Every structure is written in C-alpha cells, then in structure tokens.
Amino acid sequence: MNPPLIIVMGVSGSGKTTVGQLLAARLGLPFHEGDDFHSAANVAKMAAGHPLTDDDRAGWLATLAAGLGEWRTAGGAVLACSALKESYRQTLQAGAGAPLSWVFLDTDPAVLRARLEHRQGHYMKADMLGSQLDTLEKPTYGLHLTDDAPPETLVDQVVTRLHLLPAAT
C-alpha cells in the first residue's frame, strides 16, 4: 500500500492551507505549503501584482514534484498547492511515483475576493485573483468540495470520502 500523498488544491484564498494543515494533523502526516517553494523572483513578481507564467512556474513545479517523490518515500504528506492547470497536475503526478489524492476546494469568487482583501502578510493580493481564476482548469477527477462548511467539517469529509485513517499512535 502506498503512503498517502494528498494535494489540497484551489486558487488563492480557497482555504488550501487551513484545510491542508488540519488534514495533515488529523492523519499524522507532514504538511507542506506549496507557496514556500516559490523562488524569490516568483514571490517578488506576484507581490508586484504580476501573474506568473508557465515558464515562471516550471522550476517551482519541478521542485514540488521532486518533493512528492521524497515525501512518498518518507511515509506520505499533505501538500497545499494551487495546481491550477492540468499540465501542472500531470507534472506533480509524474514526480510522485505513486497515485496522488486530489482535494479541490471550489470556492465562490466573491468569497475568495473577500478573503484576499482581508488577508494580511501574504504576497497574493485580491487584484491577482482574476488571473488565477482565468488560469484555473478545474479537474474532472478527485474530491471536489465547496468550502461553505467550517474547515474541520471539510477535513471530516476528506477523511471519510477518501477512506483515510489517522496514523497509529
């Protein structure tokens, strides 16, 4: 049996980090924030209000793909990652070396905008939301959740619907 590799995906402000951290804690797995793997140049570009291109994202995706392979070997992980395009998801899947479980947080754009307008200390601002929504290719697979429930309830849904068990203590 392959260790769980779960990607919580969606556009900025969808709740990936919150749900991913709670899910990882519930399952006793390490949590990784995809944003932490962006280059300084990518962060600066986004902070200046410029959307990333596929070329900008290539190195980031390669790093995450390699990480997924390492995390699989180490016993699994939860990754919060936008994974906006199918080609990005294919890159991540190829690096994992085992099936990935996808959890897509599908959030109303008005809710996303409100969250981003009130978020402090993050380089991704509300004026960048449109570029993410334009880039998003919603997956036709994986678990799709609307985040109109509390994060803990979403985690319960993920654990139940993906038949995941917490790590033995």
Side-chain angles (χ1 to χ4, degrees), residues 113-133:
R113 180 161 301 283
R115 287 180 182 170
L116 292 176
E117 287 173 349
H118 293 96
R119 184 158 70 175
Q120 301 294 315
H122 196 280
Y123 55 81
M124 186 69 177
K125 305 297 183 222
D127 60 350
M128 296 283 292
L129 178 59
S131 70
Q132 284 215 329
L133 292 171

Side-chain angles (χ1 to χ4, degrees), residues 107-156:
T107 308
D108 180 89
V111 171
L112 293 167
R113 180 161 301 283
R115 287 180 182 170
L116 292 176
E117 287 173 349
H118 293 96
R119 184 158 70 175
Q120 301 294 315
H122 196 280
Y123 55 81
M124 186 69 177
K125 305 297 183 222
D127 60 350
M128 296 283 292
L129 178 59
S131 70
Q132 284 215 329
L133 292 171
D134 290 345
T135 302
L136 177 63
E137 298 170 0
K138 291 184 180 183
T140 58
Y141 49 85
L143 178 58
H144 289 232
L145 298 175
T146 56
D147 70 346
D148 54 0
E152 296 81 3
T153 301
L154 294 173
V155 169
D156 290 342

Side-chain angles (χ1 to χ4, degrees), residues 59-73 91-92 94-96:
W60 173 67
L61 289 165
T63 299
L64 291 176
L68 285 163
E70 293 169 13
W71 303 329
R72 175 184 50 81
T73 301
T91 296
L92 296 173

Side-chain angles (χ1 to χ4, degrees), residues 11-168:
V11 299
S12 190
S14 63
K16 300 180 297 290
T17 300
T18 300
V19 171
Q21 288 174 330
L22 290 170
L23 179 62
R26 171 86 65 87
L27 299 175
L29 293 172
F31 172 77
H32 301 280
E33 170 56 63
D35 287 344
D36 293 344
F37 294 86
H38 274 297
S39 67
N42 279 2
V43 171
K45 186 172 183 177
M46 289 184 283
H50 302 290
L52 297 180
T53 65
D54 287 351
D55 287 342
D56 294 328
R57 289 185 179 101
W60 173 67
L61 289 165
T63 299
L64 291 176
L68 285 163
E70 293 169 13
W71 303 329
R72 175 184 50 81
T73 301
V78 175
L79 171 66
C81 176
S82 55
L84 297 174
K85 288 185 176 183
E86 181 60 28
S87 61
Y88 305 167
R89 295 187 290 272
Q90 292 301 319
T91 296
L92 296 173
Q93 180 59 70
L100 295 171
S101 295
W102 296 92
V103 177
F104 174 53
L105 299 179
D106 197 2
T107 308
D108 180 89
V111 171
L112 293 167
R113 180 161 301 283
R115 287 180 182 170
L116 292 176
E117 287 173 349
H118 293 96
R119 184 158 70 175
Q120 301 294 315
H122 196 280
Y123 55 81
M124 186 69 177
K125 305 297 183 222
D127 60 350
M128 296 283 292
L129 178 59
S131 70
Q132 284 215 329
L133 292 171
D134 290 345
T135 302
L136 177 63
E137 298 170 0
K138 291 184 180 183
T140 58
Y141 49 85
L143 178 58
H144 289 232
L145 298 175
T146 56
D147 70 346
D148 54 0
E152 296 81 3
T153 301
L154 294 173
V155 169
D156 290 342
Q157 291 175 12
V158 172
V159 169
T160 299
R161 293 173 64 186
L162 294 182
H163 309 288
L164 301 168
L165 298 174

